[in-house]
Amino acid sequence: MTVHSPRLQNSSGAELNLRSQILFQDPTRTRTKGLVTSVASWHKTYVHESSHWARYHGSTVGVLLSLLRRTRDQLAAYTISQMSRQQTELLHGARSNGLPFLSFKRYPQYTSGELRYNELDWLNLYHAYYVLLDPEGLRGSDATSWDTQAAFENSLEDAWRQSAGAEMVERPEDTPVSITGALKLIDTSEGPLSTRTLFECAAVIDELFQFEGAFLRMADPTLRELLLEEMSGEYGLPWRLASALAGRELGGSVVLALIDFALNPVVPGLTSADPSVDWRELYPPYRFAAAAKAMADWKSDLEFQYPSHEMTVHFQHMLAQRSGLRMGRVVSRLSGLSTLREAATIPMHLAGRTPAVSFLCASRLLDLREQDACALTHYGVNFLNDRALRFIDPDPDMWWVFPMFRVSQGEYRWPAEHVNLNEATDLLISAAVASAYDDVLHGTGPLASDHLPRALFEDRAEVGALNKVLKDSTGLDLGWRTGLNPQHP
């Protein structure tokens, strides 16, 4: 059994892998010999994946997902460190027999001691994370009968407790988090609507925006036709659903604003100290459907004019009034770090370094949202006309708008202006070890490696060094092997 690897990707094979926060993008492979078309293909794909990064880290749902993931990893690390010799033997024995140490199918596996409570908390955090992002990640885990309300309430409470006074506001003492209303998913005639699908739809619309610029208009028109074909599939589901609910064909600019509204839910501890929230205000797919319905008897200026900050903010206020749902805004200071180097060098647990990068970038992106909302709501316009000038050389002051770490042709790459080789290596090791916790506790067989650079696993010495760090941090004889990472698509 392998653990589901959450990712945001496009049809070209590029992806932002959320297990490691690494962007995978190989050089464009177009059949055309035209240089303009080849560069245009690379550009729109990069816009697609960069929009994932900016929207994920610049939204309340993305911050919440990062908090849930970090809390889960911290609990996993603690659980592993506190295991007795007998429990460690059970873990190794279960994995060798194809049985995960922590499993929805076999819960409760452990009926006494601290492990009993850690097991439930970890499974709740895992369940809440995937229901929020993409329930497809729970397929095969027999979690369909799990108590979703309890999972969310307990997980939000755990994340708030761990992050109070830092990424989240101070938590009211002895006040449990409560979620009201029916916790229903959004099913359509075409299949379920997920938060992941909202991210993907927005990214394709961002790609389509590029054809308003002079450069892509010179490229092979087939590129745009391929995007429109992509929109006819899963990634176009939110757009079609929004138009159906509004009772008219909505333009891409409006759909982007609806998606942004959906991706910024109200979150206890993050957007206020109120420990209670209605599921309709928390769950992005529900927010999207409700916002689209609110367009049925209202037309916004976004349907007729080019998006601007003022117009987008007004749209959000009007949408909140008409839908009865609030727009969530982070009220706490997410990060005390000012540079990427600090995230790599300040002493912290291995489970904390990747989130530290995420929260550093999120704090900058959320500041940008307040100054220029459509830089995130309509991310694709950043690369058009005069707005594109500030991204010609983004490293000095806007490096956080783009993915920090990338893999191209299997090789790991990092921003040399901000971290050196050793620091970039430490960040990669932290991402690898933290992401291995899921495989250790909830998977069987070899540790997954498709979310990490392929070249890393082609060098026996590097794999050996990585395995030593993993063993030193967990005390377990588990690790990666050379030659196991398949060619990344």
Side-chain angles (χ1 to χ4, degrees), residues 176-465:
V177 172
S178 63
I179 299 177
T180 59
L183 275 67
K184 294 181 179 179
L185 304 184
I186 301 296
D187 290 315
T188 75
S189 59
E190 297 184 48
L193 178 67
S194 69
T195 302
R196 179 190 62 81
T197 313
L198 294 175
F199 278 114
E200 296 292 6
C201 181
V204 178
I205 298 176
D206 283 332
E207 287 187 84
L208 287 169
F209 255 110
Q210 302 314 295
F211 290 89
E212 295 185 9
F215 179 67
L216 260 72
R217 285 202 298 268
M218 294 187 293
D220 188 332
T222 303
L223 291 181
R224 188 171 185 276
E225 292 171 8
L226 290 173
L227 285 178
L228 294 175
E229 183 179 338
E230 193 170 339
M231 269 298 185
S232 67
E234 178 196 17
Y235 292 178
L237 170 58
W239 196 338
R240 293 189 295 275
L241 177 62
S243 295
L245 292 174
R248 68 181 185 280
E249 185 66 31
L250 297 177
S253 183
V254 172
V255 175
L256 284 176
L258 292 175
I259 290 175
D260 186 76
F261 184 84
L263 295 178
N264 285 277
V266 173
V267 180
L270 190 62
T271 60
S272 78
D274 186 350
S276 179
V277 65
D278 192 285
W279 181 248
R280 296 173 301 173
E281 288 206 299
L282 177 64
Y283 192 52
Y286 190 101
R287 292 174 59 85
F288 180 77
K293 287 180 183 178
M295 300 295 299
D297 58 352
W298 170 54
K299 288 191 176 181
S300 163
D301 289 343
L302 280 175
E303 299 190 52
F304 315 106
Q305 301 178 34
Y306 203 72
S308 68
H309 172 72
E310 294 74 19
M311 191 184 306
T312 303
V313 170
H314 180 261
F315 179 88
Q316 293 168 350
H317 288 317
M318 292 298 295
L319 201 57
Q321 291 179 16
R322 290 177 172 274
S323 68
L325 304 176
R326 292 168 292 173
M327 176 86 173
R329 284 186 170 82
V330 174
V331 296
S332 56
R333 186 185 182 195
L334 285 178
S335 176
L337 304 180
S338 57
T339 66
L340 192 58
R341 174 161 284 113
E342 289 176 338
T345 57
I346 290 178
M348 66 180 75
H349 193 277
L350 288 171
R353 291 211 183 275
T354 299
V357 174
S358 294
F359 295 136
L360 168 61
C361 294
S363 65
R364 304 290 186 90
L365 285 162
L366 292 171
D367 285 343
L368 176 62
R369 175 181 288 279
E370 296 300 318
Q371 303 161 14
D372 182 11
C374 63
L376 296 185
T377 61
H378 300 75
Y379 184 79
V381 304
N382 288 315
F383 304 90
L384 299 175
N385 306 322
D386 294 341
R387 295 177 66 91
L389 295 177
R390 60 180 172 173
F391 292 116
I392 291 176
D393 183 18
D395 286 328
D397 52 10
M398 296 194 77
W399 48 268
W400 34 268
V401 176
F402 305 95
M404 297 296 96
F405 304 101
R406 306 169 197 170
V407 170
S408 180
Q409 294 182 314
E411 296 285 347
Y412 176 52
R413 305 182 189 282
W414 59 90
E417 300 85 353
H418 301 286
V419 287
N420 59 34
L421 171 61
N422 290 333
E423 294 159 349
T425 301
D426 286 345
L427 287 167
L428 176 61
I429 290 172
S430 297
V433 172
S435 64
Y437 292 139
D438 283 357
D439 293 315
V440 170
L441 295 180
H442 192 54
T444 59
L447 300 180
S449 55
D450 64 340
H451 56 292
L452 299 168
R454 184 180 67 249
L456 176 64
F457 298 93
E458 295 173 346
D459 186 311
R460 189 176 297 276
E462 289 188 353
V463 174

Side-chain angles (χ1 to χ4, degrees), residues 80-136:
I80 292 171
S81 71
Q82 296 298 307
M83 276 201 246
S84 66
R85 170 176 260 177
Q86 182 182 19
Q87 290 167 341
T88 300
E89 291 173 354
L90 282 173
L91 183 145
H92 282 285
R95 286 181 56 84
S96 62
N97 292 321
L99 298 173
F101 188 65
L102 300 184
S103 169
F104 291 101
K105 292 181 179 179
R106 297 191 298 149
Y107 177 82
Q109 175 72 7
Y110 311 100
T111 56
S112 63
E114 189 176 25
L115 185 56
R116 172 187 180 185
Y117 301 103
N118 292 351
E119 177 188 21
L120 176 59
D121 287 343
W122 191 93
L123 291 171
N124 277 336
L125 285 161
Y126 188 92
H127 187 270
Y129 178 93
Y130 279 104
V131 168
L132 187 61
L133 176 64
D134 184 12
E136 179 73 15

Side-chain angles (χ1 to χ4, degrees), residues 165-185:
E167 296 82 16
M168 304 179 83
V169 299
E170 292 293 344
R171 180 172 171 266
E173 191 172 352
D174 299 326
T175 303
V177 172
S178 63
I179 299 177
T180 59
L183 275 67
K184 294 181 179 179
L185 304 184

